Amino acid sequence: MGVATTTRMLKSVMPFFTTTLPGRALTCTMALGVVIAAATAASAGTVAGRPMAGPSFNGPVHAVVYSGTTVFVGGSFTAAVVDGKKVARQRLAAVDARTGSLLPWAPTADATVRTLAVSGGVVYVGGDFSSVSGKRRDSLAGISAVSASVTALKHNISGQVNALAVGGGRLFVGGRITAVDGKNRANLARFSLPAGTLATWAARTDDTVNALAVTGNRLYVGGRFHKADDVRATLRLAAVDTSTGELHTGFRPAAPSAVYALTADSTGVYAAHGGQGGRAVRYSTTGATKWSRVFDGDVQAITRLDGITYVGGHFDVACTTARNTARGACTDGSVPRVKFAAIDGKGQLSDWAPQANGVVGVRALTASPALGQISAGGDFTVVAGRSNKRFAAF
């Protein structure tokens, strides 16, 4: 949960609660030479600050992903709420991204869905479940994006699935995993698509994987681990080859704390960090820190759209510099960013600020370049002053 700003700073930030935040010119340089960019920048190019109309959900939303004009939703809910009426949706649902209408797609999972990915007309689902639509599926399943029928993908997974990523005809799985179909795996596994065959590929970490992102021949891996492939310089964030599983030793970031979410492109990877306050960090392909933004609570979700990085979490403010206290409070001042924030390509904080509520806040973010939209899931119930329970699209 976010920490309140100091009394000294209240007068300077109070206007931002009710007015459009103007550009600012405050800058500071971190001890290691990483520039902490201006406190705020104009919000040109960001999505609208007020969410679209759409359904609510009666339990947390852990995952959201676009496929064409549909956004698929997964979590711990048992119903969607449309016009004040409950509609049964057992931890999986789909929304028309153009109209905000709840779609009839309604497979069922018997426990929490934690992660989603889409490829080739199939929605891949990971989580705590043991069955999907009445068919035995242990923590991992494939579901037709059109008919909602469960595909033949079926494996026995020892452990918990936290993250999925697809790329190059492959499905990557991360979490707290010790084996798949009785074969040893250390928190990572790969499957061939569309057949879903377990590959001999066996990249590994020594502790939990929370996030995955694929770009080119790289799979970026983030979490709470100390080492990937037994290499100590891979604390919490690493890159492995999508074909061989070997570590990309040229990628050596200095990840400051646990990684909860990742998004990547050809220039590098963007990470959502928790820890002493939270951080959103852009790393180059070598792991150099290009920019870093600090918040007073964990950053738990991250996505990119049109050169803007959108983040979500359970923070309440963004720090104006990189300095914070042992409890995460901003040392040199802050501006309100309640659960949502946006950062431009230079690391400057945008004035986009659709204030949300809740303790946990935002758990997941995803973007659709084709639609010019982002969608968010979490535990919030109000966004920008309107009721949006646990799901919002901008």
Side-chain angles (χ1 to χ4, degrees):
M1 184 175 180
V3 180
T5 55
T6 64
T7 302
R8 180 174 61 85
M9 291 304 301
L10 284 175
K11 290 183 179 180
S12 66
V13 301
M14 281 299 288
F16 299 113
F17 283 100
T18 56
T19 63
T20 301
L21 189 62
R24 299 289 291 273
L26 298 176
T27 60
C28 181
T29 303
M30 292 176 62
L32 295 179
V34 179
V35 173
I36 298 301
T40 57
S43 60
T46 58
V47 295
R50 187 173 178 83
M52 302 166 58
S56 291
F57 293 89
N58 71 342
V61 170
H62 290 267
V64 284
V65 65
Y66 281 95
S67 179
T69 58
T70 301
V71 58
F72 293 95
V73 181
S76 300
F77 51 84
T78 57
V81 181
V82 179
D83 296 329
K85 298 180 180 179
K86 286 187 176 181
V87 182
R89 289 293 186 273
Q90 294 290 329
R91 303 173 184 88
L92 288 161
V95 177
D96 188 314
R98 298 162 300 181
T99 66
S101 300
L102 182 70
L103 295 173
W105 189 86
T108 62
D110 67 350
T112 299
V113 171
R114 296 188 178 278
T115 179
L116 299 170
V118 180
S119 179
V122 176
V123 182
Y124 294 98
V125 182
D128 304 341
F129 50 83
S130 58
S131 70
V132 175
S133 296
K135 295 185 177 182
R136 176 73 180 176
R137 292 295 185 272
D138 182 9
S139 306
L140 179 66
I143 305 170
S144 168
V146 177
S147 68
S149 59
V150 180
T151 73
L153 178 70
K154 185 179 181 181
H155 295 279
N156 294 319
I157 296 179
S158 299
Q160 178 176 291
V161 173
N162 293 333
L164 299 176
V166 292
R170 297 157 175 152
L171 171 67
F172 299 91
V173 178
R176 193 170 62 249
I177 300 166
T178 57
V180 178
D181 299 335
K183 298 178 180 179
N184 290 338
R185 291 294 184 270
N187 306 309
L188 290 163
R190 194 190 82 188
F191 301 86
S192 300
L193 298 180
T197 307
L198 177 66
T200 57
W201 183 95
R204 63 191 185 277
T205 67
D206 67 350
D207 206 340
T208 305
V209 171
N210 293 326
L212 301 172
V214 177
T215 180
N217 70 339
R218 284 193 178 192
L219 174 70
Y220 289 101
V221 181
R224 295 182 178 276
F225 51 86
H226 298 88
K227 295 184 290 184
D229 200 24
D230 292 328
V231 176
R232 289 190 178 277
T234 56
L235 178 67
R236 306 183 185 103
L237 182 59
V240 299
D241 191 278
T242 56
S243 296
T244 67
E246 294 180 356
L247 191 70
H248 280 277
T249 56
F251 179 73
R252 290 179 173 265
S257 53
V259 175
Y260 291 123
L262 296 171
T263 189
D265 58 26
S266 61
T267 68
V269 63
Y270 302 77
H273 290 277
Q276 180 181 317
R279 293 172 187 260
V281 183
R282 179 190 173 192
Y283 299 96
S284 74
T285 55
T286 64
T289 299
K290 306 299 289 185
W291 54 251
S292 177
R293 296 265 20 140
V294 181
F295 299 83
D296 72 332
D298 290 347
V299 179
Q300 301 171 148
I302 193 164
T303 195
R304 299 237 329 135
L305 179 65
D306 296 335
I308 303 295
T309 302
Y310 295 89
V311 298
H314 67 83
F315 50 83
D316 289 341
V317 301
C319 302
T320 55
T321 75
R323 287 158 40 87
N324 57 7
T325 70
R327 291 179 175 270
C330 302
T331 302
D332 302 316
S334 62
V335 291
R337 290 293 182 275
V338 188
K339 318 308 178 193
F340 287 102
I343 304 158
D344 72 13
K346 295 181 180 180
Q348 293 184 328
L349 190 68
S350 165
D351 62 2
W352 185 81
Q355 319 284 48
N357 69 340
V359 175
V360 174
V362 178
R363 292 178 182 265
L365 285 167
T366 188
S368 169
L371 298 175
Q373 285 186 17
I374 67 169
S375 284
D379 291 50
F380 52 83
T381 58
V382 175
V383 181
R386 65 176 291 170
S387 178
N388 281 84
K389 294 182 179 179
R390 305 173 185 93
F391 173 78
F394 301 88

